Amino acid sequence: MAHEFNSTSSSAAALPDETLPAEEQVVVVPPTGFGVQRLSSSLVTALYLGVHSAFGPTTRPNLPASFAWIERVENATTALIVADVASKQAVLEILNCQSPEELQDGMTAGLGVKLAACLRNFGDACLANLATVTLQGEADPDALSHVLRWVGRLPDRESIQGRLLLLIRALEAPSAIVRDGAGLGLVELGSRAAIPALTVAIARETNASLRADLEQAAAHLLST
Amino acid sequence: MWLLEDDESNLDRIVAVLAAGRQHVDKFDYALIDERALGELGIQIEAKAEPCADDEASARWHRNIVRLTSSDLNALVRLIHSRGRLRRLLRPQVEAILTNAVASGRLDLSRIEKRLLDSLALTKNSQ
């Protein structure tokens, strides 16, 4: 159940913004799932009761307009939900960080930096959310194509298996541009383990131009 | 637009100068069309160098389409679509071309982004 409150200021004196000693922290999740915050329980109580005098000048601009639920930070389920919501938000930010005009070959360094940070912060959750967005066709195909190339390009050895699996799955994306991006990402990754999946994708591909590009990718990996 | 010699001997040099203008190495897609086909459409081209990391290549092979009308543009797009030969160089191939071009001294390094040069140096050191 979502709770609405008005965060406009009142004329009463404001309490300090810092958390009270030994005060419990809670996690506040807005209805959209975006903008998850950790706040002191006293502040959340004040918000819920409409005691606007509790808002300090630095706190007020960052408060959510409403929240879907709150939970104690120690709750393990919340931690997972928070991480998933935050990683989804990070993935969408990556996909929207450059305008369509800026998405040119060799001109997406900023996108690569954001993806590296997302992978560092969220690990498998980042890759899982990327897979969801890719297979459901939820984002701009050009942006996804560039992201998938960076998925292959990143030097992080720990995530190589997860990135390989993501790129292989992306060969089944509904968009030909995204499938092409997956093939390019597999070339970047440089793993011969992708060859069987590429072979299946080539046999399945109805777009002649893309089939030729996937064949080129497979031939390159075979030659490494 | 760049003029490719019949024997394609200048392909690597053209790819290098265009790839050198980017932030990072990536695949390189291009379309080849017959110069005579442009003339048949009445599209006018002129040789004109533009600032880049290989001024000599630009002076020899860079071309501008001039006095392009909207109908010319439509005709050009249809020409590329119907008769253009599409080709792709994968990122490792572009990287090799660029690395060779840097090593040969043909490129003005001051016109190349540092992060691109650094990535080429990293690749060279890891080999």
mmCIF file of all heavy atoms in Angstrom, chain A residues 97-105 107-108 140 142-143 146:
data_model
loop_
_atom_site.group_PDB
_atom_site.id
_atom_site.type_symbol
_atom_site.label_atom_id
_atom_site.label_comp_id
_atom_site.label_asym_id
_atom_site.label_seq_id
_atom_site.Cartn_x
_atom_site.Cartn_y
_atom_site.Cartn_z
ATOM 1 N N CYS A 97 22.146 6.724 -21.142
ATOM 2 C CA CYS A 97 23.171 7.741 -20.841
ATOM 3 C C CYS A 97 23.652 8.484 -22.084
ATOM 4 O O CYS A 97 24.278 9.530 -21.963
ATOM 5 C CB CYS A 97 24.342 7.118 -20.081
ATOM 6 S SG CYS A 97 25.403 6.061 -21.069
ATOM 7 N N GLN A 98 23.417 7.939 -23.260
ATOM 8 C CA GLN A 98 23.805 8.636 -24.485
ATOM 9 C C GLN A 98 22.600 8.744 -25.410
ATOM 10 O O GLN A 98 21.825 7.803 -25.544
ATOM 11 C CB GLN A 98 24.947 7.906 -25.210
ATOM 12 C CG GLN A 98 26.263 7.963 -24.448
ATOM 13 C CD GLN A 98 27.461 7.490 -25.270
ATOM 14 O OE1 GLN A 98 28.206 6.624 -24.855
ATOM 15 N NE2 GLN A 98 27.659 8.059 -26.439
ATOM 16 N N SER A 99 22.482 9.900 -26.080
ATOM 17 C CA SER A 99 21.368 10.091 -27.000
ATOM 18 C C SER A 99 21.587 9.234 -28.242
ATOM 19 O O SER A 99 22.715 8.820 -28.530
ATOM 20 C CB SER A 99 21.278 11.567 -27.398
ATOM 21 O OG SER A 99 22.416 11.924 -28.159
ATOM 22 N N PRO A 100 20.512 8.954 -28.991
ATOM 23 C CA PRO A 100 20.650 8.135 -30.202
ATOM 24 C C PRO A 100 21.721 8.672 -31.174
ATOM 25 O O PRO A 100 22.439 7.893 -31.804
ATOM 26 C CB PRO A 100 19.257 8.200 -30.827
ATOM 27 C CG PRO A 100 18.350 8.412 -29.670
ATOM 28 C CD PRO A 100 19.108 9.281 -28.725
ATOM 29 N N GLU A 101 21.847 9.999 -31.237
ATOM 30 C CA GLU A 101 22.822 10.587 -32.160
ATOM 31 C C GLU A 101 24.254 10.307 -31.711
ATOM 32 O O GLU A 101 25.174 10.272 -32.520
ATOM 33 C CB GLU A 101 22.638 12.109 -32.255
ATOM 34 C CG GLU A 101 21.294 12.573 -32.814
ATOM 35 C CD GLU A 101 20.174 12.473 -31.801
ATOM 36 O OE1 GLU A 101 20.441 12.588 -30.588
ATOM 37 O OE2 GLU A 101 19.017 12.252 -32.225
ATOM 38 N N GLU A 102 24.426 10.133 -30.405
ATOM 39 C CA GLU A 102 25.773 9.917 -29.858
ATOM 40 C C GLU A 102 26.200 8.456 -29.949
ATOM 41 O O GLU A 102 27.371 8.141 -29.762
ATOM 42 C CB GLU A 102 25.808 10.356 -28.389
ATOM 43 C CG GLU A 102 25.641 11.859 -28.191
ATOM 44 C CD GLU A 102 25.499 12.224 -26.721
ATOM 45 O OE1 GLU A 102 25.073 11.354 -25.936
ATOM 46 O OE2 GLU A 102 25.778 13.383 -26.371
ATOM 47 N N LEU A 103 25.236 7.562 -30.205
ATOM 48 C CA LEU A 103 25.544 6.136 -30.220
ATOM 49 C C LEU A 103 26.180 5.748 -31.552
ATOM 50 O O LEU A 103 25.537 5.164 -32.431
ATOM 51 C CB LEU A 103 24.268 5.315 -29.979
ATOM 52 C CG LEU A 103 23.727 5.350 -28.549
ATOM 53 C CD1 LEU A 103 22.365 4.686 -28.493
ATOM 54 C CD2 LEU A 103 24.687 4.682 -27.575
ATOM 55 N N GLN A 104 27.457 6.089 -31.696
ATOM 56 C CA GLN A 104 28.195 5.763 -32.911
ATOM 57 C C GLN A 104 29.307 4.782 -32.551
ATOM 58 O O GLN A 104 29.828 4.806 -31.428
ATOM 59 C CB GLN A 104 28.805 7.028 -33.511
ATOM 60 C CG GLN A 104 27.808 8.132 -33.834
ATOM 61 C CD GLN A 104 26.898 7.795 -34.983
ATOM 62 O OE1 GLN A 104 27.272 7.035 -35.870
ATOM 63 N NE2 GLN A 104 25.689 8.319 -34.959
ATOM 64 N N ASP A 105 29.693 3.967 -33.518
ATOM 65 C CA ASP A 105 30.780 3.022 -33.290
ATOM 66 C C ASP A 105 32.025 3.761 -32.793
ATOM 67 O O ASP A 105 32.454 4.749 -33.384
ATOM 68 C CB ASP A 105 31.119 2.270 -34.583
ATOM 69 C CG ASP A 105 30.017 1.334 -35.028
ATOM 70 O OD1 ASP A 105 29.149 1.012 -34.205
ATOM 71 O OD2 ASP A 105 30.031 0.928 -36.209
ATOM 72 N N MET A 107 32.387 5.495 -30.097
ATOM 73 C CA MET A 107 32.124 6.757 -29.394
ATOM 74 C C MET A 107 31.270 6.545 -28.151
ATOM 75 O O MET A 107 30.494 7.420 -27.761
ATOM 76 C CB MET A 107 31.422 7.741 -30.340
ATOM 77 C CG MET A 107 32.181 8.016 -31.620
ATOM 78 S SD MET A 107 33.830 8.703 -31.348
ATOM 79 C CE MET A 107 33.419 10.393 -30.950
ATOM 80 N N THR A 108 31.397 5.397 -27.513
ATOM 81 C CA THR A 108 30.546 5.074 -26.358
ATOM 82 C C THR A 108 31.373 4.793 -25.100
ATOM 83 O O THR A 108 30.986 3.965 -24.269
ATOM 84 C CB THR A 108 29.657 3.853 -26.672
ATOM 85 O OG1 THR A 108 30.500 2.730 -26.998
ATOM 86 C CG2 THR A 108 28.732 4.138 -27.837
ATOM 87 N N ASP A 140 16.075 0.606 -26.322
ATOM 88 C CA ASP A 140 16.492 0.956 -27.667
ATOM 89 C C ASP A 140 17.499 -0.069 -28.193
ATOM 90 O O ASP A 140 18.521 -0.303 -27.550
ATOM 91 C CB ASP A 140 17.118 2.348 -27.651
ATOM 92 C CG ASP A 140 17.679 2.741 -29.005
ATOM 93 O OD1 ASP A 140 16.881 2.877 -29.947
ATOM 94 O OD2 ASP A 140 18.907 2.864 -29.115
ATOM 95 N N ASP A 142 19.732 -0.005 -30.582
ATOM 96 C CA ASP A 142 21.092 0.501 -30.807
ATOM 97 C C ASP A 142 21.859 0.593 -29.493
ATOM 98 O O ASP A 142 23.032 0.234 -29.414
ATOM 99 C CB ASP A 142 21.039 1.880 -31.480
ATOM 100 C CG ASP A 142 20.758 1.783 -32.971
ATOM 101 O OD1 ASP A 142 21.241 0.821 -33.587
ATOM 102 O OD2 ASP A 142 20.054 2.659 -33.501
ATOM 103 N N ALA A 143 21.181 1.108 -28.465
ATOM 104 C CA ALA A 143 21.840 1.224 -27.156
ATOM 105 C C ALA A 143 22.224 -0.165 -26.642
ATOM 106 O O ALA A 143 23.338 -0.369 -26.139
ATOM 107 C CB ALA A 143 20.919 1.930 -26.164
ATOM 108 N N HIS A 146 25.342 -1.574 -28.375
ATOM 109 C CA HIS A 146 26.592 -1.019 -27.852
ATOM 110 C C HIS A 146 26.903 -1.577 -26.462
ATOM 111 O O HIS A 146 28.062 -1.861 -26.145
ATOM 112 C CB HIS A 146 26.515 0.509 -27.819
ATOM 113 C CG HIS A 146 26.654 1.136 -29.175
ATOM 114 N ND1 HIS A 146 27.864 1.309 -29.801
ATOM 115 C CD2 HIS A 146 25.716 1.620 -30.025
ATOM 116 C CE1 HIS A 146 27.680 1.870 -30.983
ATOM 117 N NE2 HIS A 146 26.387 2.074 -31.149
#
